[in-house]
Amino acid sequence: MASPVDVDARIAANHRLSDAYNILEIEAPAIARQTRPGQFVMVKRALGREPLLRRPFSVFEILRNARGAVTGLSLLSKQVGAVTRDIFLAEPGERIRCLGPLGTPFSVVGPPAHAWMVAGGVGLAPFATLAEALHASGVDTTLFYGGRSSEDLYRVPLFERLGVRVVLTTEDGTRGEAGRVTAPLQRELATAGDRPVMVYACGPTPMMRAVAGLAAGADRPVQVSLEPVMGCGLGGCYSCVVRILDGGARFVRACLEGPVFEGNRVSWADLT
Amino acid sequence: MGRPDLSVDIAGLRLANPLIAASGCFGYGVEYADLVDLAALGAVAVKGLFLEAREGHAPPRIVETPSGMLNAIGLQGIGVRTFVAEKLPELKARRAVVIVNICGSTVEEYAEVARILSDADGVAAIEINISCPNIDEGGHTFGCSLTGVHDVVRAVRAATTLPIFPKLTPNVTDVAAIAVAAEEAGADAVSLVNTFLAMAIDVETRRPRLSNVVGGLSGPAIRPIAVRMVYECRAAVRIPIIGMGGIASARDVLEFLIAGADAVQVGTANFEDPGIWPKLLAGVTDYLERHGHAAVGEVVGTVDLSARETAWISS
């Protein structure tokens, strides 16, 4: 098991993708080298600065130099509060506090199983590293990627280069199929026959709930990456609990037992 | 002159230094073992334990507020017997000094939990949680009345020979009177303060930000109030005081010591920076050297209340 490290990492680049989204590249090789798909880091701009608590981010990409050596990691962020605003405004050369890798990763399937990743907006974040791992295992992989508009969809070529078939949806029809990402997923589940499929989902809770329901209805396993409010990321505060249904309902810490959970273990009625 | 002596004596319990990981903020200690040298801490106060396992409140359980946070975890826990069987051996193997925080819905439950811990191997002291603001039964209810404090402390005293430290709530009119009641009932030291009962509301939805509606405020926001309460208790009791409330730097540690605390606990700041411990120790050591102290105990209760020299600012 990897040991998390806390680093004061230099920011290598900040790609602002829109007024809301950015990809922050940070030089944290000690974290990046250990990171497995679906794991996260706890981040804030600087110690002693408000807001007090760090926020969890899925590791988006593992960064490598021309020789293939790991140089750091990137975060895909959408501005929703003070920390994501700090991350949006950060400049190359500045530093950022980053603790990780943390949490239980995705279980990566191998052939003959197919992998279907379902992402909603910034929920794309854990799937770049997963797509790499699936590619390395030779798994036939599809990304269902939805957003409200084309302004919510980024870095599609990154996935296409890894041989991923990409199905895009937007609720306003500005890119890909008009409607929700669950519509093409539902169609393809209905015609999947007896192909073994592992579904992976990350996005808004209602989307993940719907995806878990569709997968269960089609008798396919699903892994979801949940995003509860988190205080420490290390199991110390017991704030990020998720109600799990095995062995009687009980709360487990998402920072340790998650953020990835098997969809049929999650008590979806209790997730807000 | 050699390095200053950082060790402290809390009612016969020798700690290598005055820094204790605060209960409720450090899991059962083992969660932090990869990042923090548990043996280098003065002690680890583990999460509050009832006799039986407890589920706690529904999320959301925390919300950040200016210079602090509210929590209403609801004392989720594995129960004292599971703790003794599954967590205590690892804490012992890592040479942690273990203070176990205990809870109860009844006086008898507190005593029973204390008895079980007395029979276990590796418990250095018991902290009695009579101050959790987030549960309906027990806890806070006992801690808010002089007779409640007396009854719980007396019962635990009769059940164990381990050092016992009641953890006091600040949500009372006169915390010093509560400390006196604890001392008279046989407490070896008092821990203070637990969190301040508080509330935050989302104005858009008009819903409370915590599922439990109210929760406990911790972090730097409460520090000046906690310092005042330690100062008041120092004047009221002879037993040692373990001070806490928003400590986030070595200066904050020293502020509590000068106000009258013999040791301190750090909680919320450890969420922001799990690597805070060696920084705090280095800062305290530096202060002791600059001020010519041979031992950390020399600063305890040294707040200077003499008349200020005002001449040079009189204009």
Side-chain angles (χ1 to χ4, degrees):
Chain A
M1 190 62 193
S3 283
V5 287
D6 186 23
V7 295
D8 192 31
R10 186 177 169 278
I11 294 167
N14 184 357
H15 307 287
R16 297 192 184 100
L17 308 172
S18 69
D19 290 344
Y21 287 86
N22 72 308
I23 294 173
L24 196 69
E25 297 186 359
I26 65 180
E27 295 172 0
I31 298 173
R33 271 194 295 270
Q34 302 187 71
T35 301
R36 292 160 66 195
Q39 287 191 298
F40 68 99
V41 290
M42 292 295 283
V43 171
K44 70 180 286 186
R45 269 303 297 282
L47 297 178
R49 175 188 165 119
E50 296 268 312
L52 201 66
L53 300 174
R54 303 182 192 218
R55 301 291 189 271
F57 288 85
S58 288
V59 171
F60 182 49
E61 302 152 290
I62 304 298
L63 305 174
R64 295 180 180 85
N65 64 16
R67 296 191 310 280
V70 172
T71 58
L73 56 88
S74 74
L75 309 175
L76 173 65
S77 175
K78 181 186 182 186
Q79 279 199 68
V80 291
V83 171
T84 47
R85 180 175 165 77
D86 280 348
I87 282 172
F88 186 83
L89 296 174
E91 293 293 342
E94 295 176 348
R95 292 191 170 267
I96 191 162
R97 204 76 200 180
C98 186
L99 168 68
L102 302 168
T104 301
F106 286 118
S107 169
V108 181
V109 291
H114 291 225
W116 292 4
M117 306 184 295
V118 189
V122 74
L124 183 72
F127 290 141
T129 54
L130 179 63
E132 271 196 22
L134 291 165
H135 180 67
S137 301
V139 174
D140 187 309
T141 302
T142 301
L143 170 66
F144 299 89
Y145 182 19
R148 287 209 182 87
S149 79
S150 61
E151 290 282 283
D152 291 301
L153 304 181
Y154 298 98
R155 289 298 193 261
V156 170
L158 172 73
F159 290 86
E160 289 173 338
R161 278 198 298 275
L162 292 166
V164 176
R165 180 175 68 100
V166 180
V167 179
L168 301 177
T169 67
T170 53
E171 289 178 33
D172 67 0
T174 49
R175 191 172 176 193
E177 178 179 329
R180 290 190 169 154
V181 71
T182 43
L185 174 70
Q186 186 166 16
R187 277 201 311 272
E188 297 204 17
L189 280 169
T191 56
D194 53 7
R195 244 186 307 164
V197 177
M198 173 64 81
V199 179
Y200 299 92
C202 184
T205 298
M207 185 210 91
M208 287 193 283
R209 182 187 289 123
V211 171
L214 290 173
D219 207 19
R220 296 302 198 285
V222 56
Q223 298 175 46
V224 294
S225 176
L226 301 181
E227 194 184 22
V229 174
M230 224 173 246
C232 67
L234 292 165
C237 70
Y238 280 74
S239 60
C240 62
V241 294
V242 171
R243 198 190 288 273
I244 290 299
L245 295 172
D246 47 19
R250 62 194 176 96
F251 284 125
V252 301
R253 289 167 286 182
C255 64
L256 297 181
E257 291 202 31
V260 175
F261 291 94
E262 290 167 27
N264 61 3
R265 292 182 69 206
V266 174
S267 177
W268 292 100
D270 288 306
L271 270 190
T272 47
Chain B
M1 198 172 110
R3 302 283 282 176
D5 178 7
L6 293 174
S7 70
V8 296
D9 186 302
I10 307 293
L13 176 63
R14 198 77 191 166
L15 307 181
N17 64 67
L19 305 182
I20 301 169
S23 177
C25 302
F26 208 65
Y28 298 107
V30 296
E31 292 90 340
Y32 282 82
D34 286 341
L35 272 171
V36 179
D37 179 4
L38 301 182
L41 300 179
V44 173
V46 300
K47 191 165 173 51
L49 291 162
F50 285 81
L51 202 51
E52 304 297 339
R54 220 182 130 85
E55 194 183 30
H57 296 315
R61 290 177 166 188
I62 60 166
V63 60
E64 185 159 347
T65 54
S67 294
M69 60 178 280
L70 305 191
N71 87 80
I73 307 298
L75 288 168
Q76 179 176 348
I78 57 178
V80 67
R81 291 188 185 88
T82 305
F83 168 79
V84 168
E86 295 179 7
K87 308 295 181 186
L88 199 50
E90 185 180 346
L91 290 168
K92 188 160 181 275
R94 293 185 182 271
R95 294 181 298 114
V97 175
V98 180
I99 299 173
V100 180
N101 184 288
I102 68 168
C103 311
S105 302
T106 63
V107 171
E108 292 71 30
E109 183 175 6
Y110 279 102
E112 179 62 15
V113 174
R115 264 190 293 277
I116 291 167
L117 291 168
S118 300
D119 293 338
D121 186 20
V123 178
I126 290 173
E127 184 173 69
I128 310 171
N129 186 349
I130 46 172
S131 48
C132 178
N134 296 326
I135 59 168
D136 295 333
E137 75 284 7
H140 204 247
T141 316
F142 291 112
C144 284
S145 83
L146 297 174
T147 53
V149 171
H150 182 273
D151 291 350
V152 173
V153 175
R154 179 58 66 88
V156 174
R157 176 75 293 158
T160 183
T161 55
L162 289 170
I164 58 172
F165 313 149
K167 183 171 178 179
L168 309 185
T169 174
N171 302 306
V172 292
T173 309
D174 182 359
V175 71
I178 300 283
V180 169
E183 181 177 43
E184 288 174 348
D188 296 295
V190 284
S191 296
L192 65 134
V193 296
N194 206 317
T195 54
F196 288 76
L197 194 56
M199 183 172 181
I201 300 167
D202 181 331
V203 297
E204 294 300 325
T205 62
R206 306 193 187 193
R207 296 181 64 82
R209 289 188 178 274
L210 297 172
S211 75
N212 190 52
V213 182
V214 296
L217 176 62
S218 65
I222 70 169
R223 190 170 60 234
I225 320 177
V227 169
R228 185 263 295 177
M229 289 180 161
V230 166
Y231 171 71
E232 289 176 348
C233 287
R234 182 69 287 156
V237 298
R238 290 179 302 280
I239 53 177
I241 293 172
I242 300 168
M244 75 202 76
I247 291 174
S249 73
R251 300 191 74 82
D252 303 338
V253 173
L254 289 155
E255 191 176 7
F256 274 85
L257 298 179
I258 292 166
D262 298 89
V264 298
Q265 293 188 6
V266 179
T268 304
N270 145 81
F271 295 154
E272 180 196 15
D273 182 11
I276 195 170
W277 307 99
K279 299 174 198 173
L280 295 177
L281 275 185
V284 170
T285 302
D286 175 66
Y287 177 91
L288 296 176
E289 287 175 343
R290 280 194 295 112
H291 288 262
H293 290 294
V296 68
E298 293 175 14
V299 304
V300 172
T302 58
V303 59
D304 182 358
L305 301 173
S306 63
R308 291 169 190 274
E309 290 185 34
T310 56
W312 66 281
I313 55 165
S314 60
S315 63

